Amino acid sequence: MSVRTTAALTVPDLLWNTPDMLDALVARDIAQVFRLVQRATRVSQTRLGIATGLSQAQVSEITSGSRRVSSIDVLTRICAGLSMPRHARTTLLLGEHDLAPTEREIIGTQVGKAVRDRCADVTAIYANRSDFMAALPPHVLFDRATDIRASGLSLNLICQQYADNRLLKLLAAGTRLRCLFLDPAGEAIRRQEREDDYPDGHLSALTELNIQNLARRIRDRLPAGARDHLTIGVYDESIRANVLLIDDRLCVVQHYLPKMRGVDCPTMVIQRTAGSSGLYPVFDEMFTSLWERSRQL
């Protein structure tokens, strides 16, 4: 057998016991199996193909739904390549899940369900901001938004990484934008510079530049009747996270951790769900409270 068909991946054991994976295995939905594995391991389609004896093009076709896998031989190779545990392999090959699970499998399912239920509104976590930007660039987040609230340090995602002409068009069409910056003249930003080992005044200058650009290049160029669509404020408190809320449905949280610069810290994406459970209401309230304590410019 070739190396292509024997190069197995390391897939987290808990993944094989999650409801989404079990449903996909029962349905022999290899597209969903591949997507779940990629989401859990961040493996490329090429690496997935090497492990399962498929080409990258075949993996792409399967993942997109244009090719369906039904051959037992191919399914068996996929089982081996992904190092499926016995119960997952049997579920896929038989197309049913009626075997008595082991104690380990029961515990795994319970843990997976507990995590799923408790953090149901967390849809993605990225190791750093670069990974987040690659998955969700600013135009994907903002182009169709009607209400944007952002609090943080310098808000580069809006001020540096989203094109001015797009932002002008958005605001002129009626979108509301509230931007809350760490006060460039305050004490909190100086503490942040020391913690992140930046030269004195580095973050202050960047934040002041972003504020002035937003006020002059964006707000001052809007039609008179649309200038109140953009509101700018500052606060002077220790920063915990950048919080971005879009259309009362999506929340992006970029954490600040001790001795780590912001760009290297994790980013969490939250999709609002019905009711008051989950994390969305927590960060919604965090922004509202901070905005109420801020000073508008």
Side-chain angles (χ1 to χ4, degrees):
M1 186 177 290
S2 68
V3 173
R4 287 179 60 86
T5 61
T6 59
L9 295 176
T10 301
V11 179
D13 288 342
L14 285 178
L15 180 64
W16 301 112
N17 296 303
T18 61
D20 285 347
M21 178 59 80
L22 291 173
D23 288 345
L25 293 172
V26 169
R28 290 187 178 171
D29 185 354
I30 300 303
Q32 177 69 345
V33 171
F34 281 177
R35 284 192 292 267
L36 292 171
V37 168
Q38 285 189 290
R39 189 183 305 164
T41 64
R42 306 183 65 81
V43 71
S44 67
Q45 289 185 347
T46 299
R47 181 70 182 84
L48 198 54
I50 291 173
T52 56
L54 300 167
S55 68
Q56 185 275 328
Q58 288 173 320
V59 172
S60 178
E61 290 173 353
I62 292 169
T63 304
S64 68
S66 61
R67 175 192 289 258
R68 185 163 182 85
V69 179
S70 57
S71 165
I72 293 297
D73 178 62
V74 176
L75 291 172
T76 302
R77 292 209 314 266
I78 290 172
C79 290
L82 299 181
S83 299
M84 286 189 193
R86 181 185 62 84
H87 78 280
R89 184 187 303 251
T90 304
T91 300
L92 177 66
L93 295 178
L94 294 183
E96 57 186 23
H97 189 55
D98 58 358
L99 297 180
T102 64
E103 181 179 358
R104 181 184 180 189
E105 290 163 0
I106 292 173
I107 292 172
T109 300
Q110 290 172 338
V111 170
K113 184 177 186 303
V115 172
R116 182 185 177 91
D117 290 347
R118 185 64 185 89
C119 302
D121 61 347
V122 178
T123 58
I125 299 176
Y126 299 91
N128 53 59
R129 296 185 189 177
S130 295
D131 289 349
F132 162 72
M133 287 280 292
L136 290 172
H139 71 272
V140 172
L141 292 171
F142 301 138
D143 274 359
R144 296 186 178 181
T146 59
D147 183 78
I148 303 169
R149 294 173 289 160
S151 67
L153 203 161
S154 301
L155 304 186
N156 287 334
L157 186 65
I158 293 173
C159 299
Q160 300 287 337
Q161 293 155 349
Y162 189 56
D164 285 357
N165 62 333
R166 287 179 181 262
L167 188 53
L168 281 165
K169 181 179 178 181
L170 205 63
L171 293 168
T175 296
R176 300 277 176 170
L177 172 61
R178 279 177 279 177
C179 289
L180 189 52
F181 295 87
L182 196 59
D183 190 344
E187 176 57 32
I189 202 167
R190 287 193 285 272
R191 290 197 302 269
Q192 194 66 37
E193 286 172 340
R194 292 193 293 269
E195 181 172 317
D196 290 347
D197 293 326
Y198 281 116
D200 290 347
H202 176 85
L203 293 178
S204 297
L206 173 61
T207 305
E208 180 64 31
L209 176 65
N210 283 352
I211 291 173
Q212 293 304 319
N213 284 344
L214 201 59
R216 295 174 182 174
R217 290 166 47 192
I218 303 299
R219 187 166 60 187
D220 290 354
R221 291 168 60 191
L222 287 169
R227 288 177 187 167
D228 64 349
H229 294 175
L230 171 59
T231 312
I232 303 170
V234 295
Y235 68 103
D236 186 21
E237 301 177 23
S238 295
I239 187 167
R240 310 297 182 190
N242 287 337
V243 176
L244 173 68
L245 298 137
I246 302 173
D247 291 342
D248 206 24
R249 61 173 177 80
L250 186 71
C251 177
V252 177
V253 182
Q254 298 175 323
H255 298 278
Y256 284 88
L257 300 178
K259 304 304 178 183
M260 288 183 67
R261 293 188 174 183
V263 294
D264 298 321
C265 290
T267 295
M268 182 165 58
V269 180
I270 301 166
Q271 189 89 32
R272 186 167 197 166
T273 57
S276 59
S277 62
L279 293 179
Y280 187 97
V282 173
F283 291 104
D284 187 14
E285 173 59 28
M286 176 179 170
F287 176 89
T288 299
S289 177
L290 200 58
W291 183 262
E292 290 171 350
R293 299 194 303 274
S294 69
R295 174 172 59 90
Q296 295 188 17
L297 303 179

Short mmCIF file of all heavy atoms in Angstrom, two decimals, residues 155 158-159 164 167-168 171 177-181 208-222 230-232:
data_model
loop_
_atom_site.label_atom_id
_atom_site.label_comp_id
_atom_site.label_asym_id
_atom_site.label_seq_id
_atom_site.Cartn_x
_atom_site.Cartn_y
_atom_site.Cartn_z
N LEU A 155 -8.65 49.96 17.44
CA LEU A 155 -9.68 49.57 16.47
C LEU A 155 -9.15 49.54 15.04
O LEU A 155 -9.76 50.07 14.10
CB LEU A 155 -10.89 50.50 16.57
CG LEU A 155 -11.56 50.62 17.94
CD1 LEU A 155 -12.82 51.45 17.84
CD2 LEU A 155 -11.86 49.26 18.53
N ILE A 158 -11.27 48.33 11.89
CA ILE A 158 -12.13 49.29 11.20
C ILE A 158 -11.30 50.41 10.56
O ILE A 158 -11.51 50.78 9.40
CB ILE A 158 -13.17 49.89 12.17
CG1 ILE A 158 -14.15 48.81 12.61
CG2 ILE A 158 -13.92 51.05 11.53
CD1 ILE A 158 -15.11 49.26 13.69
N CYS A 159 -10.35 50.93 11.32
CA CYS A 159 -9.65 52.16 10.90
C CYS A 159 -8.51 51.92 9.92
O CYS A 159 -8.18 52.81 9.12
CB CYS A 159 -9.10 52.88 12.13
SG CYS A 159 -10.37 53.38 13.30
N ASP A 164 -11.61 53.02 3.26
CA ASP A 164 -12.36 54.24 3.54
C ASP A 164 -13.59 54.37 2.65
O ASP A 164 -14.66 54.77 3.12
CB ASP A 164 -11.46 55.46 3.34
CG ASP A 164 -10.46 55.64 4.46
OD1 ASP A 164 -10.50 54.85 5.43
OD2 ASP A 164 -9.63 56.57 4.38
N LEU A 167 -16.37 52.23 3.89
CA LEU A 167 -16.96 52.75 5.13
C LEU A 167 -17.82 53.98 4.86
O LEU A 167 -18.92 54.11 5.41
CB LEU A 167 -15.85 53.07 6.13
CG LEU A 167 -16.29 53.45 7.55
CD1 LEU A 167 -17.21 52.40 8.14
CD2 LEU A 167 -15.08 53.68 8.44
N LEU A 168 -17.35 54.86 4.00
CA LEU A 168 -18.14 56.04 3.63
C LEU A 168 -19.46 55.63 2.99
O LEU A 168 -20.52 56.18 3.31
CB LEU A 168 -17.34 56.92 2.66
CG LEU A 168 -16.26 57.81 3.29
CD1 LEU A 168 -15.32 58.34 2.22
CD2 LEU A 168 -16.91 58.97 4.05
N LEU A 171 -21.86 54.17 5.70
CA LEU A 171 -22.44 55.15 6.59
C LEU A 171 -23.42 56.07 5.86
O LEU A 171 -24.47 56.43 6.40
CB LEU A 171 -21.34 55.98 7.25
CG LEU A 171 -20.44 55.20 8.22
CD1 LEU A 171 -19.21 56.02 8.58
CD2 LEU A 171 -21.20 54.82 9.48
N LEU A 177 -22.48 53.48 13.24
CA LEU A 177 -21.19 53.00 13.73
C LEU A 177 -20.82 53.76 14.99
O LEU A 177 -20.76 54.99 15.00
CB LEU A 177 -20.11 53.20 12.66
CG LEU A 177 -18.66 52.93 13.08
CD1 LEU A 177 -18.47 51.47 13.51
CD2 LEU A 177 -17.70 53.28 11.94
N ARG A 178 -20.58 53.01 16.07
CA ARG A 178 -20.07 53.59 17.31
C ARG A 178 -18.70 53.00 17.59
O ARG A 178 -18.56 51.77 17.67
CB ARG A 178 -21.02 53.27 18.47
CG ARG A 178 -22.22 54.19 18.56
CD ARG A 178 -23.17 53.79 19.67
NE ARG A 178 -24.04 52.69 19.27
CZ ARG A 178 -24.92 52.11 20.06
NH1 ARG A 178 -25.01 52.48 21.33
NH2 ARG A 178 -25.69 51.14 19.61
N CYS A 179 -17.70 53.86 17.71
CA CYS A 179 -16.31 53.43 17.94
C CYS A 179 -15.82 53.97 19.28
O CYS A 179 -15.87 55.19 19.51
CB CYS A 179 -15.40 53.93 16.83
SG CYS A 179 -15.64 53.10 15.25
N LEU A 180 -15.34 53.08 20.12
CA LEU A 180 -14.89 53.45 21.46
C LEU A 180 -13.42 53.07 21.60
O LEU A 180 -13.07 51.88 21.64
CB LEU A 180 -15.75 52.73 22.50
CG LEU A 180 -15.60 53.12 23.96
CD1 LEU A 180 -15.74 54.62 24.15
CD2 LEU A 180 -16.63 52.38 24.80
N PHE A 181 -12.55 54.09 21.68
CA PHE A 181 -11.11 53.90 21.72
C PHE A 181 -10.58 54.04 23.15
O PHE A 181 -11.13 54.81 23.95
CB PHE A 181 -10.40 54.95 20.86
CG PHE A 181 -10.69 54.88 19.39
CD1 PHE A 181 -11.80 55.53 18.86
CD2 PHE A 181 -9.85 54.19 18.53
CE1 PHE A 181 -12.06 55.48 17.50
CE2 PHE A 181 -10.10 54.14 17.17
CZ PHE A 181 -11.22 54.79 16.65
N GLU A 208 -4.42 57.87 18.41
CA GLU A 208 -4.78 59.24 18.05
C GLU A 208 -4.90 59.39 16.53
O GLU A 208 -5.82 60.05 16.04
CB GLU A 208 -3.72 60.21 18.58
CG GLU A 208 -4.00 61.68 18.27
CD GLU A 208 -5.26 62.20 18.94
OE1 GLU A 208 -5.61 61.72 20.04
OE2 GLU A 208 -5.91 63.09 18.34
N LEU A 209 -4.00 58.75 15.79
CA LEU A 209 -4.06 58.80 14.33
C LEU A 209 -5.37 58.18 13.83
O LEU A 209 -6.05 58.74 12.95
CB LEU A 209 -2.87 58.06 13.73
CG LEU A 209 -2.84 57.94 12.20
CD1 LEU A 209 -2.71 59.32 11.56
CD2 LEU A 209 -1.68 57.03 11.77
N ASN A 210 -5.74 57.04 14.38
CA ASN A 210 -6.97 56.38 13.96
C ASN A 210 -8.20 57.23 14.28
O ASN A 210 -9.14 57.31 13.47
CB ASN A 210 -7.10 55.01 14.63
CG ASN A 210 -6.21 53.96 14.00
OD1 ASN A 210 -5.59 54.20 12.97
ND2 ASN A 210 -6.14 52.79 14.60
N ILE A 211 -8.20 57.86 15.45
CA ILE A 211 -9.33 58.72 15.82
C ILE A 211 -9.44 59.90 14.85
O ILE A 211 -10.53 60.22 14.35
CB ILE A 211 -9.18 59.21 17.27
CG1 ILE A 211 -9.35 58.05 18.25
CG2 ILE A 211 -10.19 60.31 17.57
CD1 ILE A 211 -9.04 58.41 19.69
N GLN A 212 -8.32 60.56 14.59
CA GLN A 212 -8.33 61.74 13.71
C GLN A 212 -8.72 61.35 12.28
O GLN A 212 -9.48 62.07 11.62
CB GLN A 212 -6.98 62.43 13.73
CG GLN A 212 -6.63 63.07 15.06
CD GLN A 212 -7.68 64.07 15.51
OE1 GLN A 212 -8.20 64.85 14.72
NE2 GLN A 212 -8.02 64.04 16.80
N ASN A 213 -8.20 60.23 11.80
CA ASN A 213 -8.56 59.78 10.45
C ASN A 213 -10.05 59.46 10.34
O ASN A 213 -10.69 59.79 9.35
CB ASN A 213 -7.73 58.55 10.06
CG ASN A 213 -6.30 58.90 9.70
OD1 ASN A 213 -5.98 60.07 9.46
ND2 ASN A 213 -5.44 57.91 9.66
N LEU A 214 -10.58 58.83 11.38
CA LEU A 214 -12.00 58.48 11.37
C LEU A 214 -12.86 59.75 11.39
O LEU A 214 -13.89 59.82 10.70
CB LEU A 214 -12.32 57.60 12.58
CG LEU A 214 -13.58 56.74 12.52
CD1 LEU A 214 -13.54 55.77 11.35
CD2 LEU A 214 -13.74 55.96 13.83
N ALA A 215 -12.41 60.74 12.16
CA ALA A 215 -13.18 61.98 12.25
C ALA A 215 -13.06 62.81 10.97
O ALA A 215 -14.07 63.33 10.47
CB ALA A 215 -12.70 62.80 13.45
N ARG A 216 -11.86 62.91 10.43
CA ARG A 216 -11.64 63.83 9.30
C ARG A 216 -11.88 63.18 7.95
O ARG A 216 -12.51 63.77 7.07
CB ARG A 216 -10.22 64.39 9.37
CG ARG A 216 -9.96 65.26 10.60
CD ARG A 216 -8.52 65.65 10.71
NE ARG A 216 -8.26 66.44 11.92
CZ ARG A 216 -7.05 66.81 12.31
NH1 ARG A 216 -5.98 66.46 11.62
NH2 ARG A 216 -6.91 67.53 13.42
N ARG A 217 -11.36 61.96 7.77
CA ARG A 217 -11.47 61.32 6.46
C ARG A 217 -12.82 60.63 6.26
O ARG A 217 -13.21 60.35 5.12
CB ARG A 217 -10.34 60.30 6.28
CG ARG A 217 -8.97 60.93 6.12
CD ARG A 217 -7.85 59.94 6.29
NE ARG A 217 -8.05 58.70 5.56
CZ ARG A 217 -7.32 57.60 5.74
NH1 ARG A 217 -6.37 57.61 6.68
NH2 ARG A 217 -7.53 56.52 5.04
N ILE A 218 -13.50 60.37 7.35
CA ILE A 218 -14.79 59.69 7.23
C ILE A 218 -15.94 60.62 7.64
O ILE A 218 -16.77 61.00 6.81
CB ILE A 218 -14.82 58.40 8.07
CG1 ILE A 218 -13.66 57.45 7.67
CG2 ILE A 218 -16.17 57.70 7.91
CD1 ILE A 218 -13.70 57.00 6.23
N ARG A 219 -16.00 60.99 8.89
CA ARG A 219 -17.16 61.75 9.37
C ARG A 219 -17.30 63.10 8.67
O ARG A 219 -18.41 63.48 8.26
CB ARG A 219 -17.06 61.96 10.89
CG ARG A 219 -18.32 62.59 11.47
CD ARG A 219 -18.36 62.47 12.98
NE ARG A 219 -17.24 63.13 13.61
CZ ARG A 219 -16.97 63.06 14.93
NH1 ARG A 219 -17.76 62.33 15.72
NH2 ARG A 219 -15.93 63.68 15.44
N ASP A 220 -16.18 63.81 8.49
CA ASP A 220 -16.27 65.13 7.87
C ASP A 220 -16.61 65.07 6.39
O ASP A 220 -17.02 66.08 5.80
CB ASP A 220 -14.95 65.89 8.05
CG ASP A 220 -14.72 66.33 9.50
OD1 ASP A 220 -15.65 66.13 10.32
OD2 ASP A 220 -13.63 66.84 9.80
N ARG A 221 -16.44 63.92 5.76
CA ARG A 221 -16.74 63.79 4.34
C ARG A 221 -18.14 63.24 4.08
O ARG A 221 -18.56 63.14 2.93
CB ARG A 221 -15.70 62.86 3.68
CG ARG A 221 -14.30 63.47 3.61
CD ARG A 221 -13.27 62.43 3.23
NE ARG A 221 -13.54 61.83 1.93
CZ ARG A 221 -12.90 60.75 1.47
NH1 ARG A 221 -11.97 60.16 2.21
NH2 ARG A 221 -13.19 60.27 0.28
N LEU A 222 -18.85 62.89 5.14
CA LEU A 222 -20.21 62.39 4.98
C LEU A 222 -21.17 63.54 4.70
O LEU A 222 -20.92 64.69 5.11
CB LEU A 222 -20.65 61.67 6.25
CG LEU A 222 -20.05 60.30 6.53
CD1 LEU A 222 -20.38 59.85 7.95
CD2 LEU A 222 -20.56 59.27 5.52
N LEU A 230 -21.97 58.24 12.60
CA LEU A 230 -20.69 57.83 13.18
C LEU A 230 -20.48 58.57 14.49
O LEU A 230 -20.47 59.80 14.53
CB LEU A 230 -19.54 58.15 12.21
CG LEU A 230 -18.12 57.99 12.77
CD1 LEU A 230 -17.86 56.57 13.25
CD2 LEU A 230 -17.10 58.40 11.71
N THR A 231 -20.32 57.82 15.57
CA THR A 231 -20.07 58.40 16.89
C THR A 231 -18.75 57.84 17.42
O THR A 231 -18.51 56.63 17.33
CB THR A 231 -21.20 58.06 17.88
OG1 THR A 231 -22.46 58.32 17.27
CG2 THR A 231 -21.07 58.88 19.14
N ILE A 232 -17.91 58.73 17.96
CA ILE A 232 -16.59 58.33 18.45
C ILE A 232 -16.50 58.68 19.94
O ILE A 232 -16.91 59.77 20.36
CB ILE A 232 -15.48 59.07 17.68
CG1 ILE A 232 -15.59 58.79 16.18
CG2 ILE A 232 -14.10 58.66 18.20
CD1 ILE A 232 -14.67 59.66 15.33
#
